[in-house]
Amino acid sequence: CLAFESYGKKQSYNAPVSQEAAFRYGTALNELLNGPNRERHRLYLADGTVLFWTGKPSPLEAELAAFLSGNTDASAEDEGKSQDDATLGNIRVVLRALREGSGVLSVLGEDPETPFYVLGLSPNAGRISVRIWHRDTLGGFVERLRRHYEALDIVRPSFGKEFPTIRMLLRETALQGKDENVAPLLGGALMRSILTGAPYPDTLATAIIRRIRADHDDKQHPNRQINYLRAAILKAWLLRSPRWHGEIPVSLDTNRPEPAYRLGRLFAALEKTQEEALPGINATIRDRYYGAVSATPGSVVPRLLRTYQHHLSNLSPGGKVTREKLVQEIVGGIGDIPRTLSLEEQGLFAIGYYHQRQNFFTPKGEDSPDTFS
């Protein structure tokens, strides 16, 4: 006998709900899903719907939901976009709380103890399946959200969004970046990690690494393969992984000793050398070798270093010296090249590649410790 049938009750009779209670929660649910203020309370993740609401009226309720759904522009206050004063004030409160912590809420007139609820629903054979049910306070939720963005923090290009939405992160795992190609269970798993501060799912990192290997840059998507968001996701995943110990820098760390990180930097330097030696090349070594070098570097790196010597000879004398210094500095700290890299090491390889690549396009000051550009 099943535990929930131990009293002889089956089907809906093992957890009876009165008609009045069913009417009340059904009416409330329909209001959140389809009422006039539905955009303040819901967002779509893959095949599911996530609902948000507070236990008492709060001016931040709409702005928090909008941050997660992408229905408001976090830079509106800086770009002078048309916003009414109340909405603009709420956006500033959210921005400040995400940057400084939930303690800002009390200073700005918000009650951090306001109850906050999250409900995730998905269709299930003609019924509704509850994927997420989370209760917290407004202050607790903002703090979890702030820590999520703190984990994602990585050097970004000028067009990179400081607070990417959950949907933006999920699209990086999908074929052609389409919502319908996101794995059905991944949205709920990512949302639970954000709400609870738990490790991000390994399936998230696996999907990102798979897309890095499969995608190629083109004129319409010049920075698709290893972009800001994918590097940020891998950084956040590593930081919370129980198998990872230590920190990961926001930007390039030339003293970082891990072979995987240095191999990523090396691959970026070899690719940059090829681009400078062969301007306008259609496909770089990244398109041909990224998957192999990030998984089995021991069998690929020696071959790439031989090709690099040929490319190096086509650079100007000054460029040749600068690039050779950089490559020697990177290789000198690797030691024996590992035959294979684990999933965590492949993530670190991608971060090292991204850091070095970004550094090439960052203006260097006179006092900059890295002038290899």
Side-chain angles (χ1 to χ4, degrees):
C1 180
L2 298 174
F4 50 80
E5 294 180 355
S6 58
Y7 291 94
K9 304 293 185 180
K10 296 183 178 181
Q11 297 184 349
S12 62
Y13 294 103
N14 58 28
V17 178
S18 69
Q19 289 185 343
E20 180 181 0
F23 174 78
R24 288 186 175 184
Y25 74 67
T27 301
L29 184 59
N30 286 329
E31 181 70 16
L32 292 172
L33 288 169
N34 299 307
N37 295 318
R38 57 186 178 274
E39 298 303 326
R40 299 177 53 181
H41 301 286
R42 74 179 187 189
L43 70 89
Y44 298 108
L45 291 181
D47 66 336
T49 302
V50 180
L51 301 174
F52 307 86
W53 70 94
T54 52
K56 61 182 181 180
S58 171
L60 295 190
E61 184 178 30
E63 271 59 58
L64 281 171
F67 262 92
L68 295 173
S69 64
N71 291 330
T72 192
D73 191 341
S75 61
E77 60 166 329
D78 299 321
E79 298 179 3
K81 296 185 178 180
S82 57
Q83 300 278 348
D84 61 75
D85 292 341
T87 300
L88 193 57
N90 292 337
I91 291 176
R92 291 194 180 104
V93 172
V94 174
L95 285 172
R96 187 172 171 186
L98 292 178
R99 289 168 179 151
E100 301 178 25
S102 58
V104 174
L105 295 177
S106 299
V107 177
L108 300 178
E110 286 289 329
D111 182 5
E113 297 302 317
T114 299
F116 191 86
Y117 304 92
V118 182
L119 173 65
L121 304 173
S122 294
N124 182 16
R127 298 185 179 185
I128 293 179
S129 175
V130 177
R131 289 271 183 87
I132 302 170
W133 172 241
H134 183 75
R135 292 178 292 182
D136 204 340
T137 62
L138 185 60
F141 174 73
V142 169
E143 184 60 24
R144 297 288 192 189
L145 197 57
R146 186 192 67 79
R147 292 179 183 176
H148 163 67
Y149 286 124
E150 185 179 57
L152 288 172
D153 187 24
I154 197 168
V155 59
R156 63 182 188 275
S158 57
F159 54 83
K161 193 171 184 179
E162 182 180 4
F163 301 114
T165 65
I166 299 173
R167 183 179 292 179
M168 290 173 63
L169 301 180
L170 291 174
R171 284 173 181 164
E172 294 299 327
T173 70
L175 177 64
Q176 298 179 341
K178 295 182 178 180
D179 291 332
E180 58 266 28
N181 294 330
V182 175
L185 300 180
L186 190 54
L190 176 58
M191 192 71 203
R192 280 190 291 272
S193 296
I194 295 172
L195 292 172
T196 63
Y200 296 98
D202 288 347
T203 50
L204 177 65
T206 301
I208 290 293
I209 291 174
R210 185 186 302 121
R211 288 262 49 89
I212 290 175
R213 292 179 177 180
D215 289 345
H216 297 287
D217 295 348
D218 53 40
K219 292 182 179 180
Q220 292 183 339
H221 307 91
N223 299 291
R224 178 169 58 183
Q225 196 168 4
I226 307 179
N227 57 24
Y228 153 61
L229 287 178
R230 289 178 177 178
I233 291 169
L234 291 174
K235 172 181 176 285
W237 168 72
L238 276 175
L239 282 175
R240 290 194 184 180
S241 173
R243 300 181 297 275
W244 181 263
H245 303 284
E247 296 297 322
I248 297 176
V250 172
S251 57
L252 178 66
D253 183 358
T254 58
N255 297 317
R256 198 167 187 90
E258 293 94 340
Y261 184 81
R262 285 184 170 267
L263 285 168
R265 291 183 57 203
L266 175 63
F267 192 62
L270 299 184
E271 182 190 32
K272 189 70 163 61
T273 305
Q274 182 191 41
E275 291 174 340
E276 293 176 354
L278 305 172
I281 187 172
N282 291 326
T284 68
I285 59 173
R286 178 177 55 180
D287 299 306
R288 295 185 57 189
Y289 293 106
Y290 183 89
V293 74
S294 64
T296 57
S299 61
V300 182
V301 170
R303 189 191 321 168
L304 293 178
L305 287 173
R306 289 193 295 270
T307 304
Y308 156 74
Q309 291 299 329
H310 172 71
H311 294 150
L312 188 67
S313 64
N314 293 328
L315 300 187
S316 65
K320 186 184 303 183
V321 171
T322 301
R323 190 55 43 74
E324 187 67 1
K325 285 183 178 179
L326 173 60
V327 171
Q328 289 179 5
E329 176 266 318
I330 296 173
V331 173
I334 294 177
D336 294 334
I337 298 175
R339 295 181 59 186
T340 61
L341 297 181
S342 65
L343 182 64
E344 287 78 14
E345 289 170 330
Q346 290 180 49
L348 192 60
F349 178 97
I351 294 171
Y353 172 89
Y354 176 79
H355 277 167
Q356 187 65 63
R357 187 76 180 174
Q358 282 297 116
N359 186 259
F360 283 136
F361 300 100
T362 301
K364 309 300 187 300
E366 294 181 0
D367 298 328
S368 175
D370 186 4
T371 57
F372 307 119
S373 62

